[in-house]
Amino acid sequence: MKQTEVKIKVEDLTIAYGDFVLMKNVNFEVNKGDIFIIMGGSGCGKSSMLRALTGLVPPAKGNIWINGLNFNNASQAQKDALMQKCGILYQSGALFSSMTLAENIALPLQQYTNYSDKLIDELVSLKLALVGLKGFEEFYPSEISGGMKKRAGLARALALDPEIVYFDEPSAGLDPISSKLLDDLIVEINQSLGTTIVVVTHELSSIFAIGTNSIFLDAEAKGVIAHGNPKDLLKNPPNQKVLNFLTRGEKGNA
């Protein structure tokens, strides 16, 4: 039997802001090829968990291992090298408004590689084509829709062929059709490129459409109260909070 490769391991993690403990003693693993969902109600710490995973928030206690490297104890050079293997799609897309889509996507390639201008241009066109934006190289962010901005942001996140891509509320601000197109794109990238994907979201349609594994964070418990494939959690909910969250649309009180 083939051994599963662990890409991210969170071990006894505590996140605190001053004296306020947001979550404590959190443990979970993200395996290679997962589309891993971090979900839960408002104020549970989903975004803070993502910031901890990407090195923006230092944990008060515990360890985060990424590709076998203890991120907390790593040198700055090791952290920089590791983060080049990771991509991030921020909630807004976070494109530079004064730069064209091509210039936005070329930026990480110019900063972190020694590629020629010709090769960078070819890679930029390839990444835009991958997210369905072929021919939009010279457009500015203000000239495209919200869904297209998210896809352009994803193209930039994929510029350096990352092993792991983090998504912060990818469906936020999108209409249902654009949200579905982005979900389909996430699954396609995961399956075609083998990219491990971590998604912070509260959108039920996305959770069930794309998630292969998940954790459920709870503000009252200050930690994880459920873990597993979201569809399995719906069939066999471990507690009432998880059931209420995963069925809230059916009850008409979304």
Side-chain angles (χ1 to χ4, degrees):
M1 184 175 176
K2 187 178 178 183
Q3 189 174 4
T4 303
E5 182 183 342
V6 176
K7 298 297 285 182
I8 301 170
K9 182 177 182 179
V10 172
E11 190 175 58
D12 296 327
L13 187 73
T14 295
I15 296 177
Y17 295 95
D19 293 333
F20 175 69
V21 176
L22 183 63
M23 64 186 80
K24 58 187 178 182
N25 303 324
V26 172
N27 293 275
F28 64 89
E29 292 181 353
V30 179
N31 295 321
K32 183 178 181 179
D34 272 351
I35 300 181
F36 192 95
I37 308 293
I38 299 173
M39 58 181 172
S42 297
C44 69
K46 299 187 298 291
S47 293
S48 291
M49 177 60 75
L50 191 66
R51 292 188 191 107
L53 292 175
T54 54
L56 296 176
V57 171
K61 178 176 167 285
N63 295 296
I64 298 171
W65 301 79
I66 301 177
N67 282 350
L69 177 72
N70 189 328
F71 198 60
N72 307 45
N73 299 331
S75 67
Q76 192 58 52
Q78 287 175 315
K79 287 181 180 179
D80 291 344
L82 186 60
M83 288 314 296
Q84 285 180 40
K85 296 179 181 178
C86 301
I88 305 173
L89 177 61
Y90 296 98
Q91 213 174 111
S92 63
L95 298 169
F96 292 103
S97 59
S98 61
M99 301 169 71
T100 65
L101 299 192
E103 289 168 341
N104 267 281
I105 294 151
L107 194 60
L109 292 163
Q110 292 164 344
Q111 287 184 323
Y112 298 112
T113 73
N114 294 316
Y115 297 160
S116 67
D117 291 344
K118 182 175 184 295
L119 180 56
I120 288 175
D121 288 345
E122 290 172 358
L123 288 170
V124 165
S125 294
L126 179 66
K127 301 303 179 184
L128 282 170
L130 183 66
V131 300
L133 291 174
K134 182 179 172 62
F136 284 84
E137 284 84 353
E138 300 310 312
F139 280 66
Y140 286 88
S142 61
E143 298 175 318
I144 58 177
S145 69
M148 293 168 79
K149 285 177 189 174
K150 290 284 180 86
R151 284 187 278 147
L154 179 54
R156 188 177 62 187
L158 294 171
L160 295 172
D161 296 322
E163 297 174 18
I164 303 168
V165 177
Y166 300 99
F167 290 79
D168 183 13
E169 297 282 3
S171 300
L174 297 184
D175 62 83
I177 293 174
S178 296
S179 179
K180 170 72 166 57
L181 288 171
L182 187 58
D183 284 345
D184 291 345
L185 185 55
I186 290 170
V187 172
E188 183 182 336
I189 286 165
N190 169 257
Q191 293 179 348
S192 62
L193 303 179
T195 310
T196 302
I197 291 171
V198 178
V199 183
V200 167
T201 185
H202 66 278
E203 296 283 349
L204 286 181
S205 57
S206 294
I207 288 168
F208 292 125
I210 69 177
T212 63
N213 202 355
S214 72
I215 54 169
F216 188 98
L217 295 174
D218 179 65
E220 188 177 8
K222 295 185 182 295
V224 177
I225 61 170
H227 180 285
N229 187 302
K231 291 175 183 173
D232 294 337
L233 293 178
L234 179 61
K235 289 178 188 173
N236 298 294
N239 53 64
Q240 192 64 39
K241 281 186 178 178
V242 173
L243 177 62
N244 290 347
F245 181 89
L246 295 177
T247 60
R248 65 193 192 277
E250 296 172 16
K251 297 175 182 178
N253 62 345

